């Protein structure tokens, strides 16, 4: 039986990947942060909480990474843990550099010293491209031009992965994943912020939705399909880097329009622009060319934009309805504070 170690198993991708690998017959180990109340709702939501072996790991502490790798003795490591929110990286640029960047070296150093046969997946991102292009599609050869502390940290992780591959022969790959969403997406990301607000507005629980830059365009795919690529990349004969995307870009404005349409409302009556949600620097346009993944991994996106929006809005609607009926189930939204109340440098009026 193969063994996999997933860092960040409590996150969106970690939870879906854990489910996928369990279905493939893997023994799955997952790292989580020691918090006073750890965040296991996604694993519970997918019904796999008791099937994953959990290991507490602090990514700033190499000895805890060492312990996790010694304890799990993995064949494959999927390194997904990160400070993953671009907006927060402007507030916490140093911690983001440490957790989303330097921690990649910490893990790869342990791999190199403990067992260089372990295969390693690095969660790289379309944010690496930053404002490299304002049209066309981005592929593995397009130059990177990061536009946030998050992207700079991930650029470091990207190159560290390639360096350990070339210098030490470690099977280390970068998945350059474009935005991917689902009902398990964190509430601070724009897609889930919208789907959650649309559900609440439709049920009379909320009156408005405040957003930042409506003009930015993203290539949004469906997260459960994207975690399959992570596994596929580690099953190849040679390590390589791959873009995973849908090849379509849509604006935040379009996402709003589509989401409100699903509940029969006009988005313009509810959405307003609030400068608190504008970033000091934003990425205007991301659209990926997944042809290498199609040719070499045999992977293609199945869920496109409209279907994705529908899945997210319907699931949030369903959850709020269950909640109104007094049902108790693992879920993030009821305890999430209104973003307008959170004071940070970029979000202050
Ligand atoms: P999430 O934010 O949902 O999950 C991030 C995970 O990292 C969580 O398990 C979180 O723990 C953990 N984590 C955060 N900070 C720390 C820390 N200081 N120490 C240890 N663990 C920590 O992200 P996704 O699942 O969406 O993304 C997975 C990876 O893929 C990330 O590296 C992200 O940057 C990258 N990525 C994501 C894309 C997307 O569109 N989703 C696109 C491209 C790349 P906790 O649950 O306790 O917060
Ligand atoms: P990102 O692509 O990883 O930064 O994913 P996000 O979902 O956080 O943001 C996607 C785009 O939506 C960015 O261009 C944001 O500036 C834009 N956006 C507009 N309004 C909001 C908002 O209220 N919250 C977030 N998170 N993003 C917003």
């Amino acid at each position: 039986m193969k063994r996999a170690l997933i860092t960040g198993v409590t996150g969106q991708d970690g939870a879906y990947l854990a489910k996928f690998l369990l279905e493939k017959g893997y023994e799955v180990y997952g790292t989580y942060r020691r918090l006073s109340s750890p965040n296991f709702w996604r694993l519970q939501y997918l019904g796999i909480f008791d099937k994953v072996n959990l290991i507490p790991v602090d990514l700033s502490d190499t000895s805890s990474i060492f312990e996790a790798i010694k304890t799990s003795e993995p064949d494959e490591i999927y390194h997904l843990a990160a400070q993953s929110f671009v907006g927060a990286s402007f507030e916490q640029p140093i911690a983001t550099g440490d957790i989303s960047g330097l921690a990649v070296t910490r893990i790869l150093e342990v791999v190199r010293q403990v067992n260089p046969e372990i295969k390693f997946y690095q969660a790289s991102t379309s944010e690496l491209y930053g404002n490299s292009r304002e049209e066309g599609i981005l592929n593995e050869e397009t130059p990177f031009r990061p536009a946030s502390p998050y992207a700079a940290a991930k650029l470091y992780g990207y190159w560290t992965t390639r360096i350990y591959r070339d210098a030490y022969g470690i099977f280390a790959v970068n998945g350059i994943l474009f935005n991917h969403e689902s009902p398990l997406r964190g509430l601070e990301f724009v897609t889930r912020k919208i789907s959650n607000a649309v559900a609440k507005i439709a049920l009379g629980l909320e009156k408005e939705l405040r957003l930042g830059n409506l003009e930015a365009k993203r290539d949004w795919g469906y997260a459960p399909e994207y975690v399959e690529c992570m596994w596929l990349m580690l099953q190849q004969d040679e390590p390589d880097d791959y873009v995973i995307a849908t090849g379509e870009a849509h604006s935040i404005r379009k996402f709003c329009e589509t989401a409100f349409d699903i509940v029969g409302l006009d988005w313009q009556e509810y959405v307003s622009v609030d400068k608190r949600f504008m970033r000091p620097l934003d990425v205007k346009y991301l659209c990926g060319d997944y042809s290498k993944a199609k040719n070499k991994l045999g992977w293609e996106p199945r869920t496109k934009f409209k279907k994705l929006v529908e899945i997210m809005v319907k699931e949030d609607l369903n959850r709020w309805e269950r909640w109104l009926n007094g049902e108790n189930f693992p879920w993030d939204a009821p305890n999430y504070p209104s973003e307008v109340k959170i004071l940070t440098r970029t979000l202050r009026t």
Side-chain angles (χ1 to χ4, degrees):
M1 185 189 274
K2 272 199 189 173
R3 298 154 76 99
L5 176 66
I6 302 172
T7 69
V9 78
T10 56
Q12 170 188 260
D13 291 6
Y16 281 125
L17 179 64
K19 184 162 190 281
F20 176 80
L21 293 176
L22 285 166
E23 284 164 3
K24 287 245 169 262
Y26 277 66
E27 193 169 320
V28 176
Y29 293 77
T31 79
Y32 72 101
R33 287 196 265 186
R34 252 199 210 289
L35 303 168
S36 46
S37 304
N39 179 22
F40 294 128
W41 75 274
R42 294 184 175 92
L43 297 175
Q44 291 162 338
Y45 201 79
L46 295 180
I48 56 169
F49 182 48
D50 55 354
K51 300 189 178 71
V52 175
N53 301 287
L54 294 164
I55 310 178
V57 165
D58 183 333
L59 286 180
S60 59
D61 184 338
T62 309
S63 59
S64 85
I65 295 170
F66 179 83
E67 283 285 342
I69 293 177
K70 287 291 270 189
T71 305
S72 55
E73 294 184 345
D75 301 290
E76 299 168 0
I77 295 178
Y78 296 87
H79 177 42
L80 310 184
Q83 192 301 93
S84 64
F85 183 41
V86 172
S89 79
F90 287 99
E91 301 302 325
Q92 298 166 5
I94 296 168
T96 301
D98 189 57
I99 298 304
S100 306
L102 201 53
V104 179
T105 307
R106 295 192 184 102
I107 297 176
L108 281 167
E109 260 308 294
V110 176
V111 167
R112 183 181 76 79
Q113 294 184 36
V114 169
N115 177 9
E117 296 301 311
I118 297 171
K119 294 183 173 179
F120 177 83
Y121 173 88
Q122 164 61 9
S124 284
T125 164
S126 52
E127 290 291 321
L128 296 176
Y129 298 110
N131 284 313
S132 183
R133 296 267 192 285
E134 289 191 19
E135 55 179 25
I137 48 177
L138 306 152
N139 66 22
E140 293 80 2
E141 308 307 321
T142 311
F144 297 135
R145 198 174 157 205
S148 64
Y150 167 79
K154 284 285 186 177
L155 187 65
Y156 173 89
Y158 169 91
W159 280 112
T160 301
T161 301
R162 290 192 60 161
I163 289 163
Y164 273 68
R165 175 163 90 209
D166 295 343
Y168 306 117
I170 293 171
F171 195 112
V173 307
N174 284 290
I176 307 171
L177 271 53
F178 282 61
N179 298 47
H180 45 282
E181 318 295 317
S182 73
L184 298 190
R185 187 62 145 147
L187 282 159
E188 59 207 343
F189 296 91
V190 77
T191 54
R192 180 85 197 293
K193 181 175 171 181
I194 297 170
S195 65
N196 183 53
V198 166
K200 288 179 84 174
I201 290 168
L203 294 170
L205 298 167
E206 192 82 72
K207 291 193 175 62
E208 57 166 359
L209 168 60
R210 297 193 204 176
L211 294 169
N213 179 9
L214 300 181
E215 309 312 323
K217 291 188 172 165
R218 290 291 183 275
D219 178 333
W220 284 296
Y222 187 41
E225 294 169 12
Y226 282 43
V227 300
E228 291 178 21
C229 301
M230 301 175 182
W231 176 77
L232 282 169
M233 285 178 216
L234 294 191
Q235 313 314 309
Q236 304 305 302
D237 292 336
E238 297 296 329
D240 205 347
D241 308 319
Y242 297 87
V243 162
I244 304 298
T246 70
E248 282 180 23
H250 300 273
S251 64
I252 314 301
R253 181 186 294 276
K254 185 72 189 167
F255 196 105
C256 286
E257 187 186 322
T258 311
F260 277 91
D261 262 0
I262 291 165
V263 294
L265 297 174
D266 177 0
W267 73 280
Q268 298 192 75
E269 288 177 23
Y270 302 94
V271 175
S272 59
V273 171
D274 185 331
K275 69 175 192 312
R276 278 182 287 197
F277 302 110
M278 299 280 189
R279 293 175 182 170
L281 183 62
D282 204 2
V283 173
K284 289 186 193 141
Y285 169 88
L286 292 172
C287 186
D289 172 4
Y290 63 88
S291 43
K292 180 174 171 184
K294 184 177 172 189
N295 294 335
K296 297 209 169 163
L297 307 177
W299 179 87
E300 271 189 277
R302 299 185 292 276
T303 307
K304 293 292 183 81
F305 177 72
K306 210 167 167 208
K307 182 73 192 157
L308 172 69
V309 183
E310 192 181 302
I311 290 171
M312 292 182 71
V313 170
K314 289 196 168 159
E315 186 59 17
D316 275 326
L317 206 49
N318 175 41
R319 287 161 167 171
W320 280 109
E321 279 166 352
R322 288 169 68 190
W323 183 81
L324 285 170
N325 286 331
E327 214 181 305
N328 208 351
F329 56 97
W331 183 36
D332 55 348
N335 293 325
Y336 192 75
S338 159
E339 276 186 281
V340 177
K341 285 190 172 169
I342 302 173
L343 296 181
T344 64
R345 190 180 64 235
T346 46
L347 298 188
R348 201 177 297 136
T349 39

